[in-house]
Amino acid sequence: MTKLTLALPKGRVLERSLAALRAAGLGLTLPPGGRGLKHDAGDAWIIEMRNSDVPTYVELGVADAGVVGKEVLLEAGSALFEPVDLGFAVCRLSLIRPLGATRPITRIASKYPRLTQQYLARKGLTAEVVKLSGNVELACLTGLADAVVDVVETGGTIRANHLTEVEVILSSSARLVVNRAALKLKATLLKPLIAALRQHTAT
Ligand code: PRP
């Protein structure tokens, strides 16, 4: 029988994504503790990846659907069908500086260079934007940049590194994204899943 292929982000969002999909009626089991990246999880194939790659896998139809943060979709400039706000992984994309910093910002490091440039343009500000791949707060701690634009969820990372959130740029949460061709070709699987996820997140 044809199954769905679902692209899910590795890390803390993976378990929450699986829980939402299970609550929507999919029987999904991942092998414990393995290093595998593609799993026959029961009612669907699960492929695990970095969150920033989810839009690409869904857009190109390798995955029928996926779970990804709104901030990642905006950074990707994605026009993917995004039928459900799953309501978890609630976070914000913020401008962050070292506590007490007062100098004008001349260089900003971020995993989100496009959203950072858009933010600067909106504010009428000019600064160099440097793209990094992870642990972005390190740029402030080392002097690589005088500010970063990054995700804040609990605030634990900025507190632990003596940084402060200067401005919230946008609010985000996890979204279900769906490949448009798959929505037609696998409608009997995808439409009930979308409906169940909507119902589950509305309660
Ligand atoms: C994200 C983000 C912050 C941290 C914020 O990093 O880049 O570093 O989470 O969360 P908090 O406010 O709850 O501390 P992630 O763990 O995704 O890893 P990365 O920096 O390597 O991308």
Side-chain angles (χ1 to χ4, degrees), residues 12 111 133-137 150-158:
R12 51 187 160 175
K111 282 185 286 188
S133 303
N135 295 334
V136 171
E137 293 83 358
D150 201 17
V151 165
V152 180
E153 189 170 348
T154 63
T157 304
I158 55 174

Side-chain angles (χ1 to χ4, degrees), residues 153-199:
E153 189 170 348
T154 63
T157 304
I158 55 174
R159 278 194 297 277
N161 291 294
H162 311 291
L163 302 169
T164 186
E165 203 175 355
V166 177
E167 186 173 349
V168 175
I169 296 173
L170 61 90
S171 298
S172 178
S173 56
R175 309 296 163 97
L176 180 77
V177 287
V178 177
N179 176 274
R180 288 175 199 275
L183 190 61
K184 295 196 176 77
L185 294 170
K186 296 189 179 177
T188 53
L189 296 173
L190 279 168
K191 291 202 169 156
L193 178 64
I194 292 167
L197 284 168
R198 278 189 178 139
Q199 192 174 18

Side-chain angles (χ1 to χ4, degrees), residues 36-187:
L37 298 172
K38 183 174 181 187
H39 313 280
D40 182 349
D43 285 346
W45 288 92
I46 300 290
I47 50 178
E48 290 181 46
M49 62 195 64
R50 295 184 75 147
N51 63 358
S52 54
D53 289 336
V54 170
T56 306
Y57 275 83
V58 178
E59 184 78 57
L60 296 179
V62 171
D64 302 308
V67 174
V68 66
K70 180 67 178 175
E71 82 287 4
V72 173
L73 286 174
L74 290 169
E75 178 65 24
S78 163
L80 279 169
F81 180 46
E82 185 197 311
V84 191
D85 180 346
L86 295 165
F88 58 83
V90 173
C91 62
R92 48 206 189 263
L93 190 73
S94 294
L95 181 70
I96 295 162
R97 298 197 72 181
L99 273 169
T102 51
R103 281 188 312 165
I105 294 170
T106 57
R107 191 188 286 155
I108 303 177
S110 186
K111 282 185 286 188
Y112 303 88
R114 174 189 165 100
L115 294 175
T116 303
Q117 292 286 11
Q118 288 174 357
Y119 165 75
L120 289 170
R122 271 201 311 279
K123 302 289 273 188
L125 298 171
T126 310
E128 183 187 354
V129 177
V130 179
K131 169 136 174 40
L132 293 178
S133 303
N135 295 334
V136 171
E137 293 83 358
L138 189 59
C140 275
L141 305 182
T142 57
L144 178 78
D146 32 30
V148 300
V149 166
D150 201 17
V151 165
V152 180
E153 189 170 348
T154 63
T157 304
I158 55 174
R159 278 194 297 277
N161 291 294
H162 311 291
L163 302 169
T164 186
E165 203 175 355
V166 177
E167 186 173 349
V168 175
I169 296 173
L170 61 90
S171 298
S172 178
S173 56
R175 309 296 163 97
L176 180 77
V177 287
V178 177
N179 176 274
R180 288 175 199 275
L183 190 61
K184 295 196 176 77
L185 294 170
K186 296 189 179 177

